[in-house]
Amino acid sequence: MAPHHFIWFLVVISVLTICESKACHPDDLKGLNDFKVGIHSDTSGRLSNWKGTECCNWPGISCNSTTGRVVQINLPGYYEESSDDDEAPAPVIGRTMTGSISPSITLLTSLELIDLSKLVGLTGPIPSSIGFNLKNLKKLFLEGNQISGVIPQSMSNLTNLVILNLENNLLTGSIPENIGNLQALQELSLSNNSLSGKIPNSITKLHSIKSIELYQNQLEGEIQLPTIPGQWPAIEHLRLENNRLTGIIPPSVGFLTSLLRFSVSNNQLTGPIPTTLGNLKSLQHLFVDNNQLSVQLPNSICGTSGLSVLFISHNKIVGPLPNCFSSLKYLQQIDVPSHLNISIIPRGPVRKM
Ligand SMILES: *[C@@H]1O[C@H](CO)[C@@H](O)[C@H](O)[C@H]1NC(C)=O
Ligand SMILES: *[C@@H]1O[C@H](CO)[C@@H](O)[C@H](O)[C@H]1NC(C)=O
Ligand SMILES: *[C@@H]1O[C@H](CO)[C@@H](O)[C@H](O)[C@H]1NC(C)=O
Ligand SMILES: *[C@@H]1O[C@H](CO)[C@@H](O)[C@H](O)[C@H]1NC(C)=O
C-alpha cells in the first residue's frame, strides 16, 4: 500500500469509527422509535427528522457525551424558534402532537428531563413503570395535555425529581401516598385535574419544596402542613384553592415563614383565621375567601407588612377590620365582606374588588 493510500485508509477507518460511535444505545433507540410510533401527528415536524440510528442528533434529544445515553427528551409544544439574528428575540412557536406516551419510554433509563408540555393532544396514561426505571429523572413536564388515568404510585421512587408538573390534564385518582419520598422535589404542580381523595400527610416531608400547587381538583379532607418549624424551609407558594377541603386552617401555617402566597379559596374550611398568619413576614398574597371561616381578621394580620392582595369575603366573618389595618401600606387589592367598615383602608392604589 502506498503511503498516501495508507493515510486515506486511516482516515476512512476513523470516520467510520466516529460514525459508529454516534449510533445510540439500542435501548434508547428502541424507546425513542416506539415513542414516535405512539404519536399520530406532530404539527411541529420535529419527529419526522427522527431517522437512522444517531438519535443523539435528533431534534429534541440530548445525550451525555461520556456515556452516549439519552438524557433529555425536550419537545414542548411552545418553544423558541432559534433566531440567527442575535438582536431579535426568537419567536415563540406553538405546535401540537396527538397520540400517547409509549411505555417504552422507560427503556431510556438515563433520562434526566422529559418535557412534553403543552402539546395539547397527548392522551392516555402516564406509563405506570416510570418510577421504577427512570431513576435519574430530575424534571418531568407533562402539563397542558389530555393525559388521563392515575398518577402511578411508582413515581414516589423518583427520588432525584426536582420538578413534577402534571397540571392542566385529566388525571384522576389520588395523589401517591408516598409522595413525601421525593426528597429533592422543589416544584409540585398537579392543578386543574380531577384528583380526589385526601392530600397525603407524607407531603409534609418534602423538605426541599418551594411550590405546591394542587388547585382546581376534588381533593378532600384536611389541609396537611408540617406541625413543627423548619420542615418546609423554602416554601413560597402554597395553592390549594378550588377543592373540597374541610377542617381548619392549621395554626402551624405560621411556621412557613418563607411563604409569599397562600391560597385556600373556595373550599369548605371552618374555624378562625389563625393569628399565627402574622408570623408570615414575607407574605404578599393571602386568599381565604369562599369558605366558612368565622370570627374576625386577627390584629396579627398587620404583621404581614408586605401584604398586597387580601381576599377574605364570602365567609362567616363578623366584626371590624383591625385598626392597625391602615399600616398595611402595600395593599393593592382587597376583597373583604361588604358589611365591614372599609373606610380605614388607606386611600390611593387600593382597589376594592
Ligand atoms: C455523564 O455521565 C457521567 C457518568 O454517569 C457523569 O459522571 C457525568 O456527570 C455526565 N455528564 C453530564 C454533562 O451530565
Ligand atoms: C418503590 O417504592 C416502593 C415504596 O413506595 C417500594 O416498596 C419499592 O420497593 C420501590 N421499588 C423500587 C424498584 O425501588
Ligand atoms: C384545565 O386543563 C384543560 C386541559 O388541559 C385546559 O383545556 C383548560 O384550559 C385548563 N383550565 C384552566 C383554568 O387552566
Ligand atoms: C367607619 O370608620 C370610620 C373611621 O374609623 C368612622 O369614622 C366611621 O364612623 C365608621 N363607620 C361605621 C358605620 O362604623
Side-chain angles (χ1 to χ4, degrees), residues 62-140:
S62 310
C63 295
N64 175 310
S65 55
T66 312
T67 64
R69 296 298 304 264
V70 172
V71 291
Q72 294 196 354
I73 298 181
N74 193 2
L75 296 168
Y78 281 82
Y79 59 97
E80 290 196 347
E81 188 98 303
S82 62
S83 155
D84 293 335
D85 185 354
D86 282 347
E87 300 294 311
V92 176
I93 313 285
R95 295 289 157 81
T96 61
M97 286 189 195
T98 59
S100 57
I101 303 171
S102 167
S104 295
I105 202 166
T106 58
L107 289 171
L108 296 130
T109 51
S110 295
L111 275 179
E112 293 173 11
L113 173 140
I114 300 175
D115 188 346
L116 299 171
S117 64
K118 300 176 183 167
L119 290 166
V120 184
L122 290 187
T123 54
I126 300 171
S128 62
S129 62
I130 190 167
F132 298 125
N133 300 330
L134 302 186
K135 288 286 167 63
N136 295 311
L137 202 60
K138 294 193 175 85
K139 297 179 183 177
L140 178 59

Side-chain angles (χ1 to χ4, degrees), residues 42 66 68 91 104 113 128-129 140 210 218 244 261 266 287:
D42 165 25
T66 312
S104 295
L113 173 140
S128 62
S129 62
L140 178 59
K210 289 182 177 166
Q218 288 131 44
R244 298 173 183 166
R261 178 179 180 136
N266 287 302
F287 296 83

Side-chain angles (χ1 to χ4, degrees), residues 120 144-146 167-170 192-193 216:
V120 184
N145 283 293
Q146 294 162 51
E167 69 187 18
N168 301 337
N169 277 296
L170 305 172
N192 187 22
N193 280 288
Q216 213 159 317

Side-chain angles (χ1 to χ4, degrees), residues 222-293:
E222 296 184 356
I223 295 177
Q224 302 293 326
L225 297 183
T227 51
I228 52 173
Q231 296 266 86
W232 285 353
I235 186 93
E236 294 184 345
H237 297 271
L238 182 55
R239 297 189 57 184
L240 306 175
E241 68 267 26
N242 301 331
N243 277 295
R244 298 173 183 166
L245 300 171
T246 52
I248 61 168
I249 300 178
S252 62
V253 69
F255 294 144
L256 310 178
T257 49
S258 52
L259 263 187
L260 301 178
R261 178 179 180 136
F262 179 68
S263 175
V264 292
S265 305
N266 287 302
N267 280 292
Q268 293 149 33
L269 301 171
T270 50
I273 296 177
T275 56
T276 53
L277 274 178
N279 299 345
L280 305 183
K281 305 293 181 207
S282 306
L283 196 68
Q284 293 169 1
H285 296 181
L286 176 62
F287 296 83
V288 299
D289 57 293
N290 290 283
N291 280 291
Q292 289 137 44
L293 300 169

Side-chain angles (χ1 to χ4, degrees), residues 151 153 173-177 179 190 195-196 198-200 214 219:
I151 302 174
Q153 288 288 338
S174 50
I175 300 173
E177 204 56 44
I179 190 133
L190 305 177
L195 298 173
S196 55
K198 295 181 177 173
I199 300 175
L214 306 178
L219 298 169

Side-chain angles (χ1 to χ4, degrees), residues 323 339 341-344:
N323 279 325
H339 62 271
N341 184 355
I342 62 159
S343 63
I344 56 168

